[in-house]
PDB file of all heavy atoms in Angstrom:
ATOM      1  N   PRO A  13      92.949  30.637 -67.912  1.00  0.00           N
ATOM      2  CA  PRO A  13      91.920  29.767 -67.317  1.00  0.00           C
ATOM      3  C   PRO A  13      91.548  30.220 -65.914  1.00  0.00           C
ATOM      4  O   PRO A  13      92.392  30.700 -65.154  1.00  0.00           O
ATOM      5  CB  PRO A  13      92.586  28.388 -67.308  1.00  0.00           C
ATOM      6  CG  PRO A  13      94.055  28.663 -67.350  1.00  0.00           C
ATOM      7  CD  PRO A  13      94.219  29.920 -68.140  1.00  0.00           C
ATOM      8  N   ALA A  60      65.629  42.074 -86.944  1.00  0.00           N
ATOM      9  CA  ALA A  60      65.738  40.805 -87.663  1.00  0.00           C
ATOM     10  C   ALA A  60      66.488  41.030 -88.971  1.00  0.00           C
ATOM     11  O   ALA A  60      66.508  42.142 -89.515  1.00  0.00           O
ATOM     12  CB  ALA A  60      64.359  40.214 -87.945  1.00  0.00           C
ATOM     13  N   ASP A  97      59.249  55.949 -75.160  1.00  0.00           N
ATOM     14  CA  ASP A  97      59.577  55.331 -73.881  1.00  0.00           C
ATOM     15  C   ASP A  97      61.033  54.883 -73.837  1.00  0.00           C
ATOM     16  O   ASP A  97      61.756  54.908 -74.822  1.00  0.00           O
ATOM     17  CB  ASP A  97      58.639  54.151 -73.606  1.00  0.00           C
ATOM     18  CG  ASP A  97      58.362  53.974 -72.115  1.00  0.00           C
ATOM     19  OD1 ASP A  97      59.120  54.526 -71.294  1.00  0.00           O
ATOM     20  OD2 ASP A  97      57.391  53.283 -71.771  1.00  0.00           O
ATOM     21  N   HIS A 145      61.182  66.489 -75.550  1.00  0.00           N
ATOM     22  CA  HIS A 145      61.096  66.840 -74.124  1.00  0.00           C
ATOM     23  C   HIS A 145      59.642  66.863 -73.655  1.00  0.00           C
ATOM     24  O   HIS A 145      59.335  66.444 -72.540  1.00  0.00           O
ATOM     25  CB  HIS A 145      61.739  68.201 -73.871  1.00  0.00           C
ATOM     26  CG  HIS A 145      63.230  68.188 -73.948  1.00  0.00           C
ATOM     27  ND1 HIS A 145      63.987  69.342 -74.005  1.00  0.00           N
ATOM     28  CD2 HIS A 145      64.121  67.157 -73.981  1.00  0.00           C
ATOM     29  CE1 HIS A 145      65.266  69.028 -74.062  1.00  0.00           C
ATOM     30  NE2 HIS A 145      65.370  67.710 -74.057  1.00  0.00           N
ATOM     31  N   ARG A 149      59.400  61.987 -69.850  1.00  0.00           N
ATOM     32  CA  ARG A 149      59.073  62.183 -68.438  1.00  0.00           C
ATOM     33  C   ARG A 149      59.401  63.604 -68.005  1.00  0.00           C
ATOM     34  O   ARG A 149      60.461  64.140 -68.326  1.00  0.00           O
ATOM     35  CB  ARG A 149      59.835  61.182 -67.569  1.00  0.00           C
ATOM     36  CG  ARG A 149      59.455  59.734 -67.844  1.00  0.00           C
ATOM     37  CD  ARG A 149      60.301  58.773 -67.006  1.00  0.00           C
ATOM     38  NE  ARG A 149      60.030  57.387 -67.374  1.00  0.00           N
ATOM     39  CZ  ARG A 149      59.082  56.639 -66.804  1.00  0.00           C
ATOM     40  NH1 ARG A 149      58.336  57.140 -65.825  1.00  0.00           N
ATOM     41  NH2 ARG A 149      58.897  55.394 -67.192  1.00  0.00           N
ATOM     42  N   GLU A 207      68.713  62.165-114.685  1.00  0.00           N
ATOM     43  CA  GLU A 207      67.394  62.748-114.433  1.00  0.00           C
ATOM     44  C   GLU A 207      67.006  62.510-112.971  1.00  0.00           C
ATOM     45  O   GLU A 207      67.166  61.400-112.447  1.00  0.00           O
ATOM     46  CB  GLU A 207      66.355  62.130-115.359  1.00  0.00           C
ATOM     47  CG  GLU A 207      66.615  62.401-116.834  1.00  0.00           C
ATOM     48  CD  GLU A 207      65.746  61.544-117.742  1.00  0.00           C
ATOM     49  OE1 GLU A 207      65.473  60.388-117.390  1.00  0.00           O
ATOM     50  OE2 GLU A 207      65.352  62.052-118.812  1.00  0.00           O
ATOM     51  N   THR A 257      55.663  44.485 -99.136  1.00  0.00           N
ATOM     52  CA  THR A 257      55.855  44.874-100.536  1.00  0.00           C
ATOM     53  C   THR A 257      56.176  46.361-100.588  1.00  0.00           C
ATOM     54  O   THR A 257      55.435  47.181-100.051  1.00  0.00           O
ATOM     55  CB  THR A 257      54.598  44.580-101.375  1.00  0.00           C
ATOM     56  OG1 THR A 257      54.324  43.177-101.324  1.00  0.00           O
ATOM     57  CG2 THR A 257      54.805  44.997-102.820  1.00  0.00           C
ATOM     58  N   PRO A 275      56.106  69.423-101.249  1.00  0.00           N
ATOM     59  CA  PRO A 275      56.455  67.999-101.281  1.00  0.00           C
ATOM     60  C   PRO A 275      57.558  67.619-100.310  1.00  0.00           C
ATOM     61  O   PRO A 275      57.839  66.430-100.135  1.00  0.00           O
ATOM     62  CB  PRO A 275      56.900  67.778-102.729  1.00  0.00           C
ATOM     63  CG  PRO A 275      57.397  69.109-103.174  1.00  0.00           C
ATOM     64  CD  PRO A 275      56.543  70.125-102.472  1.00  0.00           C
ATOM     65  N   GLY A 293      59.541  46.007-105.026  1.00  0.00           N
ATOM     66  CA  GLY A 293      60.047  44.702-104.621  1.00  0.00           C
ATOM     67  C   GLY A 293      59.453  44.268-103.313  1.00  0.00           C
ATOM     68  O   GLY A 293      58.468  44.838-102.828  1.00  0.00           O
ATOM     69  N   TYR A 343      78.042  59.182 -80.307  1.00  0.00           N
ATOM     70  CA  TYR A 343      77.995  59.364 -78.858  1.00  0.00           C
ATOM     71  C   TYR A 343      77.774  58.040 -78.139  1.00  0.00           C
ATOM     72  O   TYR A 343      78.472  57.713 -77.177  1.00  0.00           O
ATOM     73  CB  TYR A 343      76.872  60.345 -78.491  1.00  0.00           C
ATOM     74  CG  TYR A 343      76.466  60.286 -77.030  1.00  0.00           C
ATOM     75  CD1 TYR A 343      77.346  60.697 -76.031  1.00  0.00           C
ATOM     76  CD2 TYR A 343      75.221  59.797 -76.656  1.00  0.00           C
ATOM     77  CE1 TYR A 343      76.988  60.633 -74.694  1.00  0.00           C
ATOM     78  CE2 TYR A 343      74.854  59.719 -75.320  1.00  0.00           C
ATOM     79  CZ  TYR A 343      75.740  60.144 -74.340  1.00  0.00           C
ATOM     80  OH  TYR A 343      75.385  60.070 -73.025  1.00  0.00           O
ATOM     81  N   GLN A 351      82.281  49.752 -87.589  1.00  0.00           N
ATOM     82  CA  GLN A 351      83.057  48.523 -87.720  1.00  0.00           C
ATOM     83  C   GLN A 351      82.427  47.349 -86.977  1.00  0.00           C
ATOM     84  O   GLN A 351      82.885  46.213 -87.115  1.00  0.00           O
ATOM     85  CB  GLN A 351      84.487  48.752 -87.220  1.00  0.00           C
ATOM     86  CG  GLN A 351      85.239  49.798 -88.035  1.00  0.00           C
ATOM     87  CD  GLN A 351      86.648  50.055 -87.538  1.00  0.00           C
ATOM     88  OE1 GLN A 351      87.279  49.163 -86.967  1.00  0.00           O
ATOM     89  NE2 GLN A 351      87.152  51.256 -87.741  1.00  0.00           N
ATOM     90  N   PRO A 385      95.588  63.941-100.819  1.00  0.00           N
ATOM     91  CA  PRO A 385      96.119  63.078-101.875  1.00  0.00           C
ATOM     92  C   PRO A 385      97.513  62.538-101.549  1.00  0.00           C
ATOM     93  O   PRO A 385      98.241  63.128-100.756  1.00  0.00           O
ATOM     94  CB  PRO A 385      96.147  64.004-103.090  1.00  0.00           C
ATOM     95  CG  PRO A 385      96.326  65.371-102.503  1.00  0.00           C
ATOM     96  CD  PRO A 385      95.550  65.359-101.210  1.00  0.00           C
ATOM     97  N   ARG A 480      34.412  67.787 -72.874  1.00  0.00           N
ATOM     98  CA  ARG A 480      33.541  68.433 -71.876  1.00  0.00           C
ATOM     99  C   ARG A 480      32.881  67.372 -70.982  1.00  0.00           C
ATOM    100  O   ARG A 480      32.814  67.532 -69.771  1.00  0.00           O
ATOM    101  CB  ARG A 480      32.483  69.297 -72.562  1.00  0.00           C
ATOM    102  CG  ARG A 480      31.604  70.064 -71.559  1.00  0.00           C
ATOM    103  CD  ARG A 480      30.472  70.813 -72.243  1.00  0.00           C
ATOM    104  NE  ARG A 480      30.942  71.698 -73.276  1.00  0.00           N
ATOM    105  CZ  ARG A 480      30.659  71.553 -74.571  1.00  0.00           C
ATOM    106  NH1 ARG A 480      29.884  70.542 -74.978  1.00  0.00           N
ATOM    107  NH2 ARG A 480      31.112  72.407 -75.457  1.00  0.00           N
TER     108      ARG A 480
END
Side-chain angles (χ1 to χ4, degrees):
D97 212 343
H145 287 167
R149 297 177 186 270
E207 297 168 325
T257 300
Y343 163 67
Q351 297 179 29
R480 184 186 305 115

